[in-house]
Amino acid sequence: MGLTFVLDGEGRPVYSVSYAGRPVVLPSRLGFVLSADSSFFTGFVLRGQERRVVDTVWRPVWGEVAAIRDHYEELTVHLERMGRWLDIVFRVFADGVGFRYVFPKQAGLRYFVVGDELTEFRMAGDHKTFWIPGDYDTNEYPYTTSSLSSVDNAALVAASTAIAVRVAPDRYAVQTPLMMKSADGLYLNIHEAALVGYPAMQLHVDHASLTLRASLVPDCVGNKAYLHAPFATPWRTIIVSDKAADILASKMILNLNEPSKLASTDWIHPMKFCGVWWEMQTGKGTWSYSDYPDSVDARGQLIPSGRHSANTANVKRYIDFAAANHLGGVLVEGWNVGWEDWFGNWKENVFDFVTPYPDFDVREVTAYAASKGVAMIMHNETSGSATNYERQMDTAFRFMKGWGYGAVKTGYVGRIIPRGEHHDGQWMAEHYVRVASIAAAYHIMLDAHEPVRPTGLQRTYPNWLACEAARGNEYNAFSDGNAPEHETILPFTRLMGGPMDYTPGIFRLRGYSTVAGRQVHTTLAKQLALYVTLYSPLQMAADLPENYAAHMDAFQFIRDVPVDWDDTKILEAEPGDYVTIARKEKGAANWFLGAITDENARTVDVPLAFLEPGRKYKATIYKDGVGADWKTNPEAYAIETMTVDSKGRLRVQLAPGGGAAVSIRPL
Amino acid sequence: MGLTFVLDGEGRPVYSVSYAGRPVVLPSRLGFVLSADSSFFTGFVLRGQERRVVDTVWRPVWGEVAAIRDHYEELTVHLERMGRWLDIVFRVFADGVGFRYVFPKQAGLRYFVVGDELTEFRMAGDHKTFWIPGDYDTNEYPYTTSSLSSVDNAALVAASTAIAVRVAPDRYAVQTPLMMKSADGLYLNIHEAALVGYPAMQLHVDHASLTLRASLVPDCVGNKAYLHAPFATPWRTIIVSDKAADILASKMILNLNEPSKLASTDWIHPMKFCGVWWEMQTGKGTWSYSDYPDSVDARGQLIPSGRHSANTANVKRYIDFAAANHLGGVLVEGWNVGWEDWFGNWKENVFDFVTPYPDFDVREVTAYAASKGVAMIMHNETSGSATNYERQMDTAFRFMKGWGYGAVKTGYVGRIIPRGEHHDGQWMAEHYVRVASIAAAYHIMLDAHEPVRPTGLQRTYPNWLACEAARGNEYNAFSDGNAPEHETILPFTRLMGGPMDYTPGIFRLRGYSTVAGRQVHTTLAKQLALYVTLYSPLQMAADLPENYAAHMDAFQFIRDVPVDWDDTKILEAEPGDYVTIARKEKGAANWFLGAITDENARTVDVPLAFLEPGRKYKATIYKDGVGADWKTNPEAYAIETMTVDSKGRLRVQLAPGGGAAVSIRPL
């Protein structure tokens, strides 16, 4: 990696990035518009600079690998403009460059407002780009692949009726992580690391100059951030390689985050789980107990609709299933009162997070789960009312601990309260970190749905296991679905920031919905492969027990696949086309391999050189059956076993929209 | 009182009010612009109406009188417009009319947004009006007396530099309670009662039509209120009489509020208090411990400036003073860390409400106060960051109860967070009630500074003893001061909604400030009279113990005057000119009388017919001394005693800006 930094003739900070002599970021501007100084991007004088080299290794609490090398050269430049100071810190890694702004403690800049951040990334060509619209409130869009100069989100935003809330005022803006590929085969990924106390960065695409310009999510009065020096912004990250696999293997974003702030982490346990959820997504059951909030009897009690999924008996069925199948936890959504009119009213006080519906017996469920050795996972849907959640958060967490819940799934469906704030603005960015931090104080693990997309903060708060913040498998249930290429793009985009609770493992791929024509856009074998290709320490077995019962031979892979790893090998990958990954189970000699393709059939043919030399393994291959096809024959699969070693190769055929999952255990 | 209600030819609701045949409110429109229906003010059909008469008596937990008669005729009209329903409820009292809108539970209107409330009050003449600017964030303005058609707040707003935050976008808007007097001698007061879940109503003055139009305080996106039917708005109140004293005696606003929601009230104790406060207002001491937040030593500890008032020794001095002088409580401001940069930065996380400065020993102060039988009053300044306070409120209240504090003074200086919200909008109106309600759950009494002005909610939450929400005595310390007429207007305006923590009792009226030329704009005797004329169950003896020590004969009145009453007689009053009130001590036969005047000298000559016939009393009269004058000789006072009975009169001379205070005890 090459980095240059200069002040131009007018004292404007300018940087550029190259990779093996090839331009990656052409000279691009840096700086701000501040409340205290509207020209905090020009007229700077270089007052000093420092360089250092760091090369250390750290061990994540959980992750894709057991140890991570953090190796970079750092350049800090001290700039002054009319008595006000700005530092810019660059870190150059083998796989990319990160930089952040630091406002040092200074008399002339204490409290100030960021009107705009002017960071630019001027591209060297009209790259092929994998993008979703820049939206202040959601990342739940399908990906578009186009040239940079063709980015225009207007039609996509207008068509995305399945999203609860969307605010995309700039038709030429895109979200990060943004994945690009140059005509000459360079892979580029732009994102940010350590989003703390600052709004999310989206990117405005200037078609003419092929320049990406930082676009911070504003608050309700149009300000971007309220800062108090000393303050360091999140890192702006540029990961580059001529091999797509290197992008997925990069640990740069994690390395740019702070080490764990938690006093202890022995209570953090990655796990698989099942739960009362797909029933509601597919229309079999409901979150709510009654059909309408005014369905009340003479005593004012809600009249049950009879379709409420989170009832004690049904939940015990899931507990039984989890206990029988090596799933650590059970998630129950819709257990607490308020779901009859929880959504879409910009209503501040929806849930109290501690009052169950009459048919959900917390005591009985807790006791039953404990007797079966299954952990219960709490569900706290906020309906976007962060103020209400913050008021009651201590009460909610005390309730969880009182009943032995060690994990919570939060949700932020709908418009944010404080009204006028956005999911991705500074206030909410602070909120998510606050929730993670308070949850940690209670020894509770966190899985946040509908938050800002992650930026590697799982290093700092390792109890923050996963986020949603993208189109998950659920879109196959309640919309026209995710395109077959969707899961080949996610690792290069959304997952660059952190694990996603994608909820894979749907076995009944058609006929599950009350809406005609709906189907999951993968084969069954691809659903298995996702447990490996979409990394998360929290993986749901999302389908219904009865649907798994029909294919327990295939379910064996879900039983076996771990969620924490000692090593990971990105064997081959191309965004939008295919991903093949092998991972070694944490503390064991077993390997698991996942391979997926887009809408095109594909032959995987990869060496098994990652296996321990001289050792024999039994490989169990869960693959697409003959004639399998995501659209016409998704549930056809085949299971075969063979003996393999490090000198061999794995060759397996993937159907259109298909995949393969392989467990490889020492003989 | 006369009330008419009609639907006009276009189905628009129209009401009018008369008093003894004289027009008070000419035919005026009612209605709304709603998100669901932008014409929810026309095309209505009358579907039914009901009338009833109510005549009851209730006893407030504390107040100006022991029992309050609630007597009204009620008319409810049921209106329908295209399948949507609106009720309007009118209550006609002897002293005025109140009306509210009720959105009944209905299929066509569940959750909805109020874009505008169109309530009008069309006046019958160009009345003399006592007004402050309509401002979304503050009531801390001096009053202007002008004709209605001359209302224009622009110059006043521009000149009001002493206010921390002001947002007055409509130069023709005024706050309520709005006091008016017609050319033919009718006194009119317009306000609202029971502001719950709704923004405050301000009034836009249309000069040409002499019409006052409701102007609700918006939220950050311009909406006025988010409602969920069934919902009843606050009452709009019109109090009328041809005697100004009747306005002050009216209990209509209290009657329109809901009865107490508290399970018990025996822990609520009106009281006088002193405290570490005037030291800071006058520049003798500071709230902060250090001069600057970066005044830290090598260990990072704040370096004391030596001027921090809330230190243990100084606070014990106030405790001694309270114990020696029948003051029930001591308030300590500036005891907790954060005051070095608490203000003006729109900073969310300022105070934690539980961490004292190093020189304030909570344990020692608590023990000392308990040993002296003095109650400590907690201070929670939020600096407008309501989100921060709500997060920590339980912690703050638990801290108070843990240390035996039974009352809290809250503060909201500065711009509100959630950013974009206003002090007087719906969100904050809900916040203040939430604080009162949670405080009640902890058995804590509340004194809110810088909140929305009160609307009689002390009936519903009798632990909510007082509010500020106007220019208090403090403006004499840090600004050019309150005009001598100020306290003669307050009872007709701000105090119509509820008690004010005005902080009377300043004895050193000149030379107290480090700023040259500052002085309190009253005489000393008038400061005493304010304990009677400005009703509050919480009254501060605001001056320093050493200033009281110089005039302990005058201080005797403050020692004696109670803060809770069995009866009240408004003996004479004219807004802007004078107020004379007599009150009978709760559970005792003692009477206390206060008389104040504006900048003009005045002779009070009132009958003492309120005394028990045939009984002799000793009257101690604290009056302006010979040559007293608020400007040139404010501290001249005289004390005389005489024997009086119900057949006699009290005749006493008030100096310019002067007053008189009288205690009348049975012989």
Side-chain angles (χ1 to χ4, degrees):
Chain A
M1 298 302 311
L3 168 80
T4 65
F5 171 82
V6 297
L7 288 176
D8 73 7
E10 299 177 33
R12 294 183 300 199
V14 173
Y15 79 106
S16 58
V17 176
S18 63
Y19 175 84
R22 296 152 72 181
V24 172
V25 179
L26 299 177
S28 296
R29 289 173 55 187
L30 299 166
F32 291 92
V33 174
L34 302 181
S35 57
D37 184 345
S38 60
S39 300
F40 208 61
F41 53 82
T42 188
F44 282 102
V45 178
L46 182 66
R47 294 299 188 193
Q49 54 183 305
E50 291 141 32
R51 290 172 188 277
R52 64 171 183 153
V53 174
V54 170
D55 191 355
T56 60
V57 173
W58 60 279
R59 299 180 69 82
V61 176
W62 45 260
E64 297 178 88
V65 294
I68 293 173
R69 182 182 181 190
D70 186 13
H71 181 204
Y72 57 85
E73 291 182 82
E74 184 179 270
L75 166 68
T76 301
V77 295
H78 303 292
L79 308 179
E80 188 207 338
R81 168 185 150 77
M82 303 197 300
R84 292 198 179 91
W85 293 77
L86 176 68
D87 291 351
I88 310 177
V89 183
F90 297 90
R91 289 187 183 171
V92 181
F93 298 80
D95 53 355
V97 171
F99 63 88
R100 79 188 327 173
Y101 302 94
V102 178
F103 297 91
K105 183 173 173 176
Q106 53 191 298
L109 208 57
R110 284 185 54 74
Y111 291 97
F112 57 102
V113 176
V114 174
D116 260 312
E117 179 184 320
L118 304 178
T119 304
E120 291 181 352
F121 306 85
R122 189 148 69 90
M123 296 294 100
D126 192 9
H127 304 327
K128 180 182 181 180
T129 305
F130 303 85
W131 59 271
I132 55 174
D135 189 304
Y136 298 166
D137 282 288
T138 184
N139 292 267
E140 297 188 5
Y141 284 103
Y143 288 93
T144 300
T145 307
S146 79
S147 66
L148 205 47
S149 66
S150 302
V151 166
D152 180 347
N153 66 41
L156 188 59
V157 170
S160 291
T161 53
I163 301 171
V165 51
R166 57 180 190 278
V167 175
D170 174 0
R171 65 190 291 180
Y172 305 115
V174 296
Q175 298 275 18
T176 72
L178 184 69
M179 188 67 211
M180 292 171 284
K181 184 181 182 182
S182 73
D184 61 347
L186 268 192
Y187 296 86
L188 284 71
N189 185 283
I190 298 181
H191 188 39
E192 63 181 312
L195 174 59
V196 176
Y198 203 77
M201 177 182 73
Q202 306 187 345
L203 296 171
H204 171 87
V205 182
D206 184 72
H207 289 178
S209 66
L210 301 175
T211 298
L212 307 167
R213 200 169 59 238
S215 170
L216 303 181
V217 175
D219 79 348
C220 66
V221 297
N223 289 329
K224 303 300 172 59
Y226 302 81
L227 301 184
H228 177 191
F231 181 84
T233 70
W235 296 91
R236 281 64 187 93
T237 62
I238 306 149
I239 301 173
V240 194
S241 179
D242 54 6
K243 288 186 284 298
D246 290 349
I247 305 295
L248 301 188
S250 174
K251 295 292 172 282
M252 196 181 94
I253 287 173
L254 275 180
N255 279 328
L256 288 170
N257 274 271
E258 297 295 313
S260 169
K261 289 184 181 289
L262 308 193
S264 70
T265 58
D266 54 354
W267 48 275
I268 297 173
H269 305 293
M271 66 174 154
K272 291 171 287 186
F273 65 103
C274 63
V276 180
W277 178 72
W278 192 248
E279 291 185 18
M280 290 96 100
Q281 292 290 358
T282 55
K284 181 187 173 194
T286 58
W287 280 268
S288 65
Y289 179 74
S290 294
D291 284 331
Y292 306 101
D294 47 6
S295 294
V296 291
D297 63 19
R299 293 177 303 124
Q301 304 298 306
L302 285 171
I303 300 168
S305 68
R307 303 196 310 125
H308 180 229
S309 289
N311 64 77
T312 304
N314 195 37
V315 169
K316 287 167 84 170
R317 197 167 63 93
Y318 281 84
I319 292 170
D320 288 339
F321 182 77
N325 291 290
H326 298 175
L327 305 178
V330 171
L331 166 71
V332 184
E333 301 204 5
W335 67 278
N336 58 331
V337 298
W339 289 91
E340 282 72 22
D341 59 347
W342 69 285
F343 171 62
N345 301 311
W346 224 2
K347 175 183 172 185
E348 184 159 16
N349 300 313
V350 178
F351 297 108
D352 73 1
F353 311 103
V354 295
T355 306
Y357 279 124
D359 61 346
F360 184 75
D361 186 326
V362 180
R363 182 180 300 275
E364 184 177 343
V365 167
T366 299
Y368 192 75
S371 77
K372 297 278 183 171
V374 171
M376 295 302 298
I377 301 175
M378 174 52 65
H379 185 232
N380 281 175
E381 172 59 50
T382 69
S383 63
S385 180
T387 47
N388 181 48
Y389 194 43
E390 292 200 346
R391 270 174 216 133
Q392 306 193 50
M393 204 181 303
D394 276 319
T395 303
F397 284 137
R398 283 198 295 265
F399 180 87
M400 285 178 225
K401 291 312 285 184
W403 292 108
Y405 286 69
V408 61
K409 172 183 171 179
T410 57
Y412 296 88
V413 173
R415 300 174 80 176
I416 293 296
I417 302 178
R419 295 188 184 94
E421 295 288 348
H422 295 288
H423 284 72
D424 291 6
Q426 181 191 24
W427 199 90
M428 284 302 292
E430 292 178 346
H431 168 83
Y432 306 123
V433 172
R434 184 178 298 123
V435 174
S437 176
I438 296 175
Y442 283 93
H443 286 198
I444 287 175
M445 297 177 280
L446 176 62
D447 173 19
H449 279 231
E450 301 91 22
V452 68
R453 74 286 182 278
T455 58
L457 284 167
Q458 63 271 27
R459 179 179 178 189
T460 311
Y461 299 97
N463 66 313
W464 194 352
L465 295 187
C467 292
E468 185 184 44
R471 264 171 87 105
N473 224 1
E474 66 183 7
Y475 273 79
N476 287 306
F478 61 66
S479 79
D480 291 339
N482 299 327
E485 70 173 9
H486 186 66
E487 295 92 349
T488 71
I489 299 173
L490 280 176
F492 289 95
T493 52
R494 160 66 184 76
L495 268 70
M496 291 300 292
M500 177 174 176
D501 182 15
Y502 188 73
T503 68
I506 302 302
F507 276 18
R508 187 173 179 192
L509 298 156
R510 295 189 291 192
Y512 52 78
S513 173
T514 53
V515 179
R518 296 243 162 114
Q519 69 179 96
V520 177
H521 293 200
T522 75
T523 64
L524 190 150
K526 185 174 176 179
Q527 288 288 317
L528 296 181
L530 296 176
Y531 287 87
V532 180
T533 60
L534 293 177
Y535 167 67
S536 176
L538 208 56
Q539 289 281 29
M540 191 172 200
D543 211 339
L544 313 183
E546 55 266 39
N547 293 339
Y548 288 134
H551 304 286
M552 287 308 288
D553 56 347
F555 189 79
Q556 186 64 40
F557 183 81
I558 299 178
R559 288 175 59 112
D560 293 341
V561 66
V563 283
D564 200 7
W565 311 95
D566 270 339
D567 203 4
T568 287
K569 301 293 183 190
I570 314 296
L571 300 178
E572 53 176 12
E574 181 67 22
D577 292 342
Y578 57 85
V579 173
T580 303
I581 298 176
R583 304 190 195 266
K584 181 168 173 291
E585 182 173 354
K586 189 98 154 195
N590 306 318
W591 285 80
F592 293 81
L593 183 149
I596 61 170
T597 183
D598 61 1
E599 69 282 5
N600 300 309
R602 183 163 190 279
T603 301
V604 171
D605 186 357
V606 291
L608 299 174
F610 52 82
L611 296 176
E612 189 181 326
R615 198 163 185 178
K616 293 288 182 188
Y617 295 80
K618 177 189 173 190
T620 306
I621 305 168
Y622 304 77
K623 62 183 184 179
D624 295 320
V626 176
D629 181 291
W630 74 269
K631 192 175 182 70
T632 58
N633 189 18
E635 293 172 15
Y637 65 90
I639 303 173
E640 73 178 294
T641 60
M642 62 177 68
T643 301
V644 298
D645 61 27
S646 66
K647 293 178 187 153
R649 300 182 71 86
L650 175 75
R651 190 182 158 88
V652 60
Q653 186 66 25
L654 311 186
V662 187
S663 68
I664 308 172
R665 297 158 174 279
L667 281 171
Chain B
M1 298 301 310
L3 168 80
T4 64
F5 172 80
V6 295
L7 288 178
D8 74 5
E10 298 178 35
R12 296 183 299 200
V14 173
Y15 79 105
S16 58
V17 176
S18 63
Y19 175 84
R22 295 151 73 180
V24 172
V25 179
L26 300 177
S28 296
R29 289 173 55 188
L30 300 165
F32 292 93
V33 174
L34 303 181
S35 57
D37 184 344
S38 61
S39 300
F40 208 60
F41 53 82
T42 189
F44 280 103
V45 178
L46 181 65
R47 293 302 189 193
Q49 53 184 306
E50 290 142 33
R51 290 173 187 275
R52 63 171 183 154
V53 174
V54 170
D55 191 356
T56 60
V57 172
W58 59 280
R59 299 180 70 83
V61 175
W62 44 261
E64 297 177 88
V65 294
I68 294 174
R69 183 181 182 191
D70 187 11
H71 181 204
Y72 58 84
E73 290 182 82
E74 183 178 272
L75 165 68
T76 301
V77 295
H78 303 292
L79 308 180
E80 188 207 337
R81 168 184 150 77
M82 304 197 301
R84 293 197 178 91
W85 293 77
L86 176 68
D87 291 350
I88 309 176
V89 184
F90 297 89
R91 289 188 183 170
V92 181
F93 298 79
D95 53 354
V97 171
F99 63 88
R100 81 189 324 172
Y101 302 94
V102 177
F103 297 92
K105 184 172 172 176
Q106 55 191 296
L109 208 56
R110 283 185 55 73
Y111 292 98
F112 58 101
V113 176
V114 174
D116 259 313
E117 179 185 319
L118 304 179
T119 304
E120 291 181 352
F121 306 85
R122 190 149 68 91
M123 296 293 99
D126 192 10
H127 304 325
K128 180 180 181 183
T129 305
F130 303 86
W131 58 271
I132 55 175
D135 189 305
Y136 297 166
D137 282 288
T138 185
N139 291 267
E140 297 187 5
Y141 284 102
Y143 287 92
T144 300
T145 306
S146 79
S147 67
L148 204 47
S149 65
S150 301
V151 166
D152 181 346
N153 65 41
L156 188 59
V157 170
S160 292
T161 53
I163 301 171
V165 51
R166 57 178 189 280
V167 176
D170 175 0
R171 67 190 291 180
Y172 304 115
V174 296
Q175 299 274 18
T176 72
L178 184 69
M179 187 67 211
M180 292 172 283
K181 183 180 183 183
S182 72
D184 59 348
L186 267 192
Y187 296 87
L188 283 70
N189 185 283
I190 297 182
H191 189 37
E192 63 181 314
L195 174 59
V196 176
Y198 203 78
M201 178 182 74
Q202 305 187 347
L203 295 172
H204 171 87
V205 182
D206 184 71
H207 289 178
S209 66
L210 301 175
T211 298
L212 307 167
R213 202 169 57 238
S215 171
L216 303 181
V217 176
D219 79 350
C220 67
V221 297
N223 289 329
K224 304 299 172 62
Y226 302 82
L227 301 184
H228 178 191
F231 181 84
T233 70
W235 296 91
R236 280 65 187 93
T237 60
I238 307 149
I239 301 174
V240 193
S241 178
D242 53 7
K243 289 186 284 297
D246 290 348
I247 305 293
L248 301 187
S250 175
K251 295 292 172 282
M252 197 181 94
I253 287 173
L254 276 180
N255 279 328
L256 288 169
N257 275 271
E258 297 295 312
S260 170
K261 288 183 181 291
L262 308 193
S264 70
T265 57
D266 54 353
W267 48 275
I268 298 173
H269 305 293
M271 65 175 156
K272 291 172 285 185
F273 65 102
C274 63
V276 180
W277 178 74
W278 191 250
E279 292 186 16
M280 291 95 102
Q281 292 290 0
T282 56
K284 180 187 175 194
T286 59
W287 280 268
S288 65
Y289 179 73
S290 294
D291 284 331
Y292 306 101
D294 47 5
S295 295
V296 291
D297 64 18
R299 293 177 301 124
Q301 304 298 306
L302 285 171
I303 300 168
S305 69
R307 303 196 309 124
H308 180 228
S309 289
N311 63 77
T312 304
N314 195 37
V315 169
K316 286 166 85 168
R317 196 167 64 92
Y318 280 85
I319 293 171
D320 289 338
F321 182 77
N325 291 290
H326 298 176
L327 305 179
V330 171
L331 167 71
V332 183
E333 301 205 6
W335 67 277
N336 59 330
V337 300
W339 289 91
E340 282 72 21
D341 59 347
W342 69 285
F343 172 62
N345 300 312
W346 222 3
K347 175 183 173 185
E348 184 160 17
N349 300 312
V350 178
F351 296 109
D352 72 1
F353 312 102
V354 295
T355 306
Y357 278 123
D359 61 348
F360 184 75
D361 186 326
V362 181
R363 182 179 301 274
E364 184 177 340
V365 167
T366 299
Y368 192 74
S371 77
K372 296 277 184 173
V374 171
M376 295 303 299
I377 301 175
M378 173 52 66
H379 185 233
N380 281 176
E381 173 57 51
T382 69
S383 64
S385 181
T387 47
N388 181 49
Y389 194 43
E390 292 201 346
R391 271 175 215 132
Q392 305 192 52
M393 203 182 302
D394 275 319
T395 303
F397 285 138
R398 283 197 296 265
F399 180 87
M400 286 177 223
K401 292 312 285 184
W403 292 108
Y405 287 68
V408 62
K409 172 182 172 179
T410 57
Y412 296 89
V413 173
R415 299 174 80 177
I416 293 296
I417 301 178
R419 295 189 183 93
E421 295 289 346
H422 295 288
H423 284 72
D424 291 5
Q426 181 191 24
W427 198 90
M428 284 303 292
E430 291 177 346
H431 169 82
Y432 306 122
V433 172
R434 186 178 297 121
V435 174
S437 176
I438 296 175
Y442 283 92
H443 286 197
I444 287 174
M445 296 177 281
L446 175 63
D447 172 20
H449 279 230
E450 301 90 22
V452 68
R453 77 282 183 278
T455 57
L457 283 167
Q458 64 270 28
R459 178 180 179 188
T460 311
Y461 299 98
N463 66 312
W464 194 351
L465 294 186
C467 292
E468 185 185 44
R471 265 172 88 106
N473 224 2
E474 66 183 6
Y475 273 79
N476 287 307
F478 62 66
S479 79
D480 291 338
N482 298 327
E485 69 174 7
H486 187 64
E487 296 92 348
T488 70
I489 299 174
L490 280 176
F492 289 95
T493 52
R494 161 64 184 78
L495 267 69
M496 291 298 293
M500 178 174 176
D501 182 15
Y502 187 73
T503 68
I506 302 302
F507 275 20
R508 189 173 178 193
L509 298 157
R510 293 188 293 191
Y512 52 78
S513 174
T514 53
V515 180
R518 294 241 162 116
Q519 70 179 93
V520 176
H521 293 201
T522 75
T523 65
L524 190 149
K526 185 174 177 179
Q527 288 287 317
L528 296 180
L530 296 177
Y531 287 87
V532 181
T533 61
L534 292 178
Y535 167 67
S536 176
L538 207 58
Q539 290 281 29
M540 190 171 198
D543 211 339
L544 313 183
E546 54 267 40
N547 293 338
Y548 287 134
H551 303 287
M552 286 310 286
D553 56 347
F555 188 78
Q556 185 65 40
F557 184 81
I558 299 180
R559 287 176 59 113
D560 294 341
V561 68
V563 283
D564 200 6
W565 311 96
D566 270 340
D567 202 4
T568 286
K569 302 291 182 190
I570 313 295
L571 299 178
E572 54 176 10
E574 181 67 22
D577 291 342
Y578 58 84
V579 174
T580 303
I581 298 177
R583 303 189 197 268
K584 179 167 175 292
E585 182 173 354
K586 189 100 154 193
N590 305 319
W591 285 80
F592 292 82
L593 183 147
I596 62 170
T597 182
D598 61 2
E599 69 281 4
N600 300 309
R602 184 163 189 279
T603 301
V604 171
D605 186 357
V606 290
L608 300 174
F610 53 83
L611 296 176
E612 188 181 328
R615 197 164 186 180
K616 294 287 181 188
Y617 295 80
K618 176 187 176 194
T620 306
I621 304 168
Y622 303 78
K623 61 182 184 181
D624 295 320
V626 175
D629 181 292
W630 74 269
K631 193 174 183 67
T632 58
N633 189 19
E635 293 172 16
Y637 63 91
I639 303 173
E640 72 177 295
T641 58
M642 62 178 68
T643 299
V644 298
D645 62 26
S646 66
K647 294 179 189 154
R649 300 181 71 88
L650 175 76
R651 188 182 159 89
V652 60
Q653 185 67 25
L654 311 187
V662 187
S663 68
I664 308 174
R665 297 159 175 278
L667 280 172

